[in-house]
Structure formats: structure tokens, C-alpha cells
Amino acid sequence: MFIKLYQKSLQLAAHKSSKVFLAIVSFMESSFFPIPPDVMIVPMVMAKKNDYLKIFLIATLFSTLGGVLGYFIGLYFLDVSMNLVSFYGYEDKVLHLKDSLTKGTGLYIWFATLFLAGFTPLPFKVFTITSGMIGFNLFIFFLICLISRGLRFFIVSYLSFKFGDTFYKFMQSEAAKWFAFLGILIVVIFSVIYFIIK
């Protein structure tokens, strides 16, 4: 199923209405769809290099809005939320998080986790839904989604624009590891800054 969805996403990237489809895929991926927008962003930028900023903005905006949908799914539809979370294998982790937040711990960890979910290959929809389930502050949630998704999609769009096929091959083999490393590094830097200021 995932292979078929992946191939279909690649086909949509070559469609004359690819930007519309990118908006749809970006929106759905943040709440339930398993294929990330990066699959479309790279070939779209390679095909239309001058549109790389527009492609990055479309993916960021609609991914963030899709995250808000995921948030409200988690907030109002608990059974549906748990089914989606269970599908991705995160049920125990979500229940543990809810327990930690009830006891007054884990809030700052969730800040970092949500950012990492938006920036790295973690299943972002699990964390948008969970944010609604735990009643995380909606405004802060929106900002974190916008920043993390924006950083990720800008990097993908810009490097696709700059390096083309070389970056496409990199995305297929090494991207997950390096995005995870870079995401953790960003979180560590901001954590250190926060504790120094505090």
C-alpha cells in the first residue's frame, strides 16, 4: 500500500496541477496520510527550479493547516485518534505522555518532541493528533508546526534547487539520518540558550 501511495505521489509531482496536489498531500500528511510532501517537493523543484520558494511556501502553509486538523481530531474524536496513533505504533508512548503531563511533567519535552516530529522523518500526524488529545496550547502548537515544517521544507526545496539530481539521490538514501541529526542539534542548541537565559 505504501509503495503504491509513494508512486502515486511521484506521479502527482509531474502533473500540470502539481502545486494543487502538493497542497492536498501536505495537508493530509499532517493529520492521517502516510507519505510526506518531500516525495513531491524534490521532483517538482527539479522540474521548475524558479518556483522553489513557492513550492516551499505551499508545502509549509498547508502542512501546518493540516496539523491544525490533526489537533482537532485529537481534541474531539478520541476513538479515531487512538486508532490512528495505534496504526503507527505509538499508542503506549502517547498514553505515557498523557500520564506525565497530568502529573505536571513532560511539557518541555513535548515542545522538543513536536519540533522534531515536524522537522524529522517521524510520523508528524501522530504528534499533531496527540497535541489535541493532551490539550496542548493551540497557538504555541501552530507556531512550532510552522517553524519546524518551514525549516524542513525550505531546506528540501533549496537543496533540490541548488543540487538537483545529486540531492534527489541523497534524499533516497541518507536524508532521514541527517534530518534527525540536524533536528536534535537544533533542539539541543535552543535548550542550552533557554537554560542560560533562564
Side-chain angles (χ1 to χ4, degrees):
M1 181 185 72
F2 289 109
I3 293 173
K4 288 181 180 179
L5 288 173
Y6 179 85
Q7 291 171 341
K8 184 64 177 177
S9 297
L10 282 174
Q11 291 170 10
L12 293 175
H15 196 277
K16 62 180 181 179
S17 300
S18 58
K19 290 185 178 69
V20 174
F21 289 119
L22 174 63
I24 294 169
V25 168
S26 299
F27 184 85
M28 295 191 306
E29 186 267 341
S30 293
S31 49
F32 61 88
F33 192 63
I35 307 300
D38 313 61
V39 171
M40 293 185 65
I41 291 172
V42 177
M44 283 176 66
V45 172
M46 287 172 63
K48 296 181 179 180
K49 288 197 171 185
N50 291 333
D51 285 351
Y52 84 94
L53 283 176
K54 189 181 293 183
I55 291 167
F56 138 70
L57 288 171
I58 290 170
T60 300
L61 175 61
F62 283 91
S63 180
T64 302
L65 293 175
V68 173
L69 173 63
Y71 181 97
F72 283 113
I73 290 173
L75 187 63
Y76 293 116
F77 302 98
L78 186 59
D79 290 341
V80 175
S81 301
M82 289 309 299
N83 286 335
L84 283 167
V85 168
S86 298
F87 177 78
Y88 289 99
Y90 280 76
E91 185 176 11
D92 291 340
K93 294 180 179 65
V94 168
L95 292 173
H96 176 71
L97 173 68
K98 287 185 73 175
D99 183 57
S100 297
L101 291 172
T102 301
K103 295 175 181 176
T105 60
L107 182 61
Y108 294 112
I109 293 173
W110 186 246
F111 268 79
T113 303
L114 184 59
F115 174 85
L116 286 173
F119 188 78
T120 67
L122 289 170
F124 188 50
K125 71 283 295 168
V126 170
F127 298 91
T128 63
I129 290 169
T130 302
S131 294
M133 291 171 64
I134 65 177
F136 190 68
N137 183 284
L138 180 58
F139 179 71
I140 296 174
F141 167 83
F142 184 85
L143 283 180
I144 293 174
C145 290
L146 194 63
I147 293 168
S148 62
R149 297 262 99 176
L151 276 173
R152 170 173 164 171
F153 296 144
F154 177 77
I155 290 171
V156 171
S157 296
Y158 180 75
L159 293 180
S160 299
F161 161 75
K162 199 74 176 174
F163 300 106
D165 193 54
T166 302
F167 181 66
Y168 179 73
K169 292 174 182 175
F170 169 80
M171 283 290 290
Q172 291 181 315
S173 58
E174 301 292 332
K177 177 175 66 179
W178 283 103
F179 269 100
F181 172 76
L182 186 57
I184 292 169
L185 182 62
I186 291 170
V187 168
V188 169
I189 290 171
F190 275 99
S191 298
V192 169
I193 293 171
Y194 171 78
F195 285 113
I196 289 174
I197 295 173
K198 185 179 178 182

